[in-house]
C-alpha cells in the first residue's frame, strides 16, 4: 500500500521526536550531579578515632594481631582479599591464632578509594562491615573507574540487606572522612608505602602475601600482641 | 509503508533507550536507577545480568538497534514489495521473545526480583513480535 510523502515525513518526524526525547533523558541521567564526595587530608578530630583501632575480626585472645593496610581500589589488595584472605580466615582467624585488623590506606592515585572506605564504614553502622568489605573487593571492576562509585556501592549495599536510606545519608555526610584520614596517617607514620602492607609483630611486610607465607610468619611470631 | 513496520520502528527505538539506560547504569555512568523498589539494582547487579560473559543490557542495545535499523530500512519504497524484511523481523523478534522469556524466568525463579525496566522491555518485545507476525501474514497473503 503506497503512502503519501506527507504521511512518510510525518512518521519520520515522530520517530525523530522520540529519538530526541530519549537522548535528552539519557543525557540528563548521565550528567545529573553525583552527591557523594569524601574529602582527603581532613583534620582528624579526637572524636574521629575515639575507641576505634580499625576493623577487627578474630578472637580477642589470639596471640598474634595482623594489621592490614589496604586500599579498596588497589588491584593487588583485591587479589589478596579474594584469593588469599578466605584461606587466612579459615586457617588463622577461625582457629583463634590471629586477630585481623583492617586499616584503610587510600592511595592518592585511586580517586574512588576513599568513597569505598567510607561505604564500608557506613556499612559498619548497620553491622554489615565485613559483608560489604568483601563485596566491595569482589565487585571492584564495577565501581573502580566509575564516575559514580558511590551510587554503585549504595546499590551493592542494598543487595546485602543494608538500609539504603540510612546508608546514603551516611555517605552524603562524609562523617568518616576523619577516621579514614587517621588510618592513613597511622600507616604513613609506621612507614607503609604501598598496599597491601601487613604489620606483624612490629614489622612491615609489603605486598599481597600468600596465605602460606602469612601462616609461616604467624608460626615464627607466636608472641602476645602489644596491649 | 505499513503501519506495522512503523510500529516496529517506534517500539524498537523505545526499547533501545530502555536498554541503553540499563547499559549506562552497568558501566557506571548512571548512579542510581530510577526504580523505587530497589529490585532493579538487585537484578542488574546479579550474576544473571551477564549472559555468556556479555552484559544482558548490551545484548539488548545491539538487538534493538538491529531491529530499528531493519524496520527503518523496510520502510523504504524499494523494500515495500519483498517479503524478506518481514520474515527477518519476525524471526529476530521471535528470538528476542524467547530470550526475554528466559530472562524473565531467571528474575522470577533465580533472582527473585522483578526489574520494571526488564518488564517494560518484555512488553515492548512481545508487542513488536505481534506486529512483526501480523506484517509477515500481510506480506505472505496474495495481493488482492
Amino acid at each position: 500500500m503506497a503512502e503519501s510523502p506527507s504521511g512518510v515525513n510525518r512518521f519520520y518526524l515522530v520517530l525523530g521526536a522520540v529519538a530526541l526525547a530519549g537522548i535528552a533523558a539519557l543525557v540528563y541521567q548521565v550528567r545529573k550531579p553525583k552527591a557523594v564526595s569524601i574529602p582527603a587530608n581532613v583534620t582528624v578530630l579526637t572524636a574521629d578515632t575515639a575507641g576505634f583501632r580499625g576493623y577487627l575480626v578474630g578472637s580477642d585472645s589470639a596471640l598474634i594481631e595482623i594489621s592490614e593496610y589496604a586500599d579498596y581500589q588497589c588491584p593487588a589488595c583485591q587479589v589478596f582479599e579474594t584469593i588469599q584472605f578466605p584461606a587466612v580466615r579459615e586457617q588463622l582467624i577461625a582457629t583463634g591464632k590471629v586477630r585481623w585488623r583492617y586499616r584503610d590506606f587510600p592511595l592518592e592515585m585511586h580517586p574512588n578509594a576513599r568513597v569505598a572506605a567510607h561505604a564500608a564504614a557506613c556499612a559498619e553502622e548497620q553491622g554489615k562491615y565485613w559483608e560489604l568489605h568483601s563485596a566491595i573487593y569482589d565487585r571492584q571492576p564495577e565501581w573502580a573507574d566509575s564516575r559514580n562509585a558511590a551510587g554503585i556501592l549504595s546499590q551493592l549495599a542494598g543487595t546485602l540487606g543494608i538500609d539504603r536510606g540510612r546508608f546514603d545519608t551516611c555517605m552524603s555526610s562524609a562523617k568518616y572522612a576523619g577516621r579514614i584520614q587517621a588510618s592513613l596517617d597511622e600507616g604513613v607514620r609506621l612507614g607503609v608505602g604501598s598496599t597491601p602492607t601487613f604489620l606483624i609483630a612490629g614489622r612491615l611486610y609489603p605486598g599481597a602475601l600468600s596465605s602460606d607465607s602469612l601462616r609461616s610468619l604467624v608460626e615464627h611470631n607466636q608472641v602476645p600482641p602489644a596491649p | 509503508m505499513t503501519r506495522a513496520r512503523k510500529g516496529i520502528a517506534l517500539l524498537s527505538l523505545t526499547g533501545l533507550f530502555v536498554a541503553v539506560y540499563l547499559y549506562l547504569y552497568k558501566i557506571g555512568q548512571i548512579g542510581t536507577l530510577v526504580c523505587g523498589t530497589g529490585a532493579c539494582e538487585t537484578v542488574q547487579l546479579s550474576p544473571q545480568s551477564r549472559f555468556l560473559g556479555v552484559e544482558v543490557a548490551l545484548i539488548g542495545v545491539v538487538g534493538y538497534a538491529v531491529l530499528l535499523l531493519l524496520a527503518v530500512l523496510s520502510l523504504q519504497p524499494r523494500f515495500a514489495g519483498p517479503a524478506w524484511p518481514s520474515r527477518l523481523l519476525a524471526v529476530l523478534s521471535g528470538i528476542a521473545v524467547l530470550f526475554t522469556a528466559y530472562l524473565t524466568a531467571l528474575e522470577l525463579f533465580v533472582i527473585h526480583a522483578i526489574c520494571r525496566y526488564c518488564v517494560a522491555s518484555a512488553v515492548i518485545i512481545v508487542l513488536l513480535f505481534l506486529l512483526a507476525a501480523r506484517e509477515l501474514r500481510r506480506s505472505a497473503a496474495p495481493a488482492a
Side-chain angles (χ1 to χ4, degrees):
Chain A
M1 186 168 64
E3 195 166 346
S4 69
S6 65
V8 175
N9 290 341
R10 209 165 36 239
F11 169 72
Y12 284 123
L13 274 175
V14 171
L15 198 66
V18 173
L20 278 176
I23 289 167
L26 289 175
V27 168
Y28 169 74
Q29 288 296 327
V30 170
R31 302 187 74 159
K32 211 165 47 171
K34 316 297 191 289
V36 176
S37 165
I38 309 302
N41 301 316
V42 293
T43 305
V44 179
L45 306 173
T46 311
D48 289 331
T49 53
F52 181 80
R53 307 176 48 235
Y55 302 99
L56 299 167
V57 60
S59 168
D60 288 341
S61 59
L63 290 180
I64 299 275
E65 180 173 279
I66 298 181
S67 298
E68 176 191 1
Y69 293 86
D71 170 324
Y72 281 107
Q73 203 180 335
C74 133
C77 301
Q78 193 226 14
V79 167
F80 174 78
E81 174 68 27
T82 55
I83 297 174
Q84 303 300 334
F85 195 60
V88 171
R89 259 184 186 273
E90 187 187 323
Q91 296 165 6
L92 299 176
I93 300 173
T95 54
K97 292 178 183 168
V98 163
R99 181 172 58 253
W100 198 265
R101 179 173 171 255
Y102 185 89
R103 298 296 274 155
D104 292 309
F105 197 85
L107 299 169
E108 259 184 56
M109 70 176 86
H110 294 148
N112 285 332
R114 279 176 198 265
V115 173
H118 200 278
C122 289
E124 194 210 18
E125 285 187 354
Q126 299 187 45
K128 297 266 187 182
Y129 174 80
W130 290 102
E131 288 88 341
L132 189 62
H133 170 95
S134 300
I136 289 171
Y137 275 121
D138 284 345
R139 311 293 278 269
Q140 191 193 66
E142 291 174 32
W143 58 265
D145 297 318
S146 170
R147 286 178 54 221
N148 185 28
I152 295 174
L153 294 172
S154 170
Q155 283 139 22
L156 194 54
T159 64
L160 298 172
I162 291 169
D163 182 317
R164 290 273 304 274
R166 282 175 59 199
F167 180 87
D168 290 343
T169 305
C170 172
M171 289 297 283
S172 300
S173 74
K175 66 206 258 191
Y176 294 114
R179 178 193 279 189
I180 294 165
Q181 186 63 41
S183 180
L184 177 72
D185 293 347
E186 175 193 287
V188 170
R189 271 197 309 275
L190 288 167
V192 173
S194 61
T195 55
T197 290
F198 302 92
L199 176 68
I200 306 171
R203 278 193 63 187
L204 291 175
Y205 298 87
L209 301 183
S210 68
S211 58
D212 288 341
S213 301
L214 283 166
R215 197 171 58 231
S216 170
L217 284 167
V218 167
E219 282 164 6
H220 287 89
N221 288 284
Q222 294 279 353
V223 289
Chain B
M1 181 145 72
T2 69
R3 279 187 175 184
R5 288 184 183 182
K6 286 182 190 172
I8 289 170
L10 274 171
L11 284 170
S12 301
L13 183 61
T14 310
L16 179 64
F17 282 121
V18 173
V20 168
Y21 178 59
L22 292 178
Y23 184 62
L24 287 173
Y25 167 76
K26 285 296 287 184
I27 60 173
Q29 294 301 308
I30 289 174
T32 310
L33 287 174
V34 183
C35 187
T37 61
C40 301
E41 289 88 0
T42 305
V43 173
Q44 296 306 321
L45 291 171
S46 70
Q48 289 75 28
S49 67
R50 292 174 77 87
F51 180 76
L52 301 177
V54 181
E55 296 292 350
V56 168
L58 182 59
I59 296 173
V61 171
V62 174
Y64 279 119
V66 168
L67 284 168
L68 175 62
L69 189 68
L70 192 58
V72 170
L73 277 178
S74 75
L75 292 171
Q76 305 304 309
R78 62 187 156 143
F79 295 120
W84 68 263
S86 305
R87 277 196 213 109
L88 199 51
L89 282 169
V91 168
L92 290 177
S93 58
I95 292 169
V97 166
L98 292 177
F99 188 55
T100 300
Y102 164 71
L103 295 174
T104 305
L106 286 179
E107 284 186 271
L108 288 171
F109 305 115
V110 179
I111 311 170
H112 302 296
I114 290 286
C115 166
R116 63 178 62 171
Y117 295 102
C118 305
V119 174
S121 178
V123 170
I124 288 169
I125 205 65
V126 167
L127 289 175
L128 204 150
F129 175 68
L130 291 175
L131 285 176
R134 188 180 132 187
E135 175 63 9
L136 183 63
R137 270 205 311 275
R138 186 202 65 80
S139 65

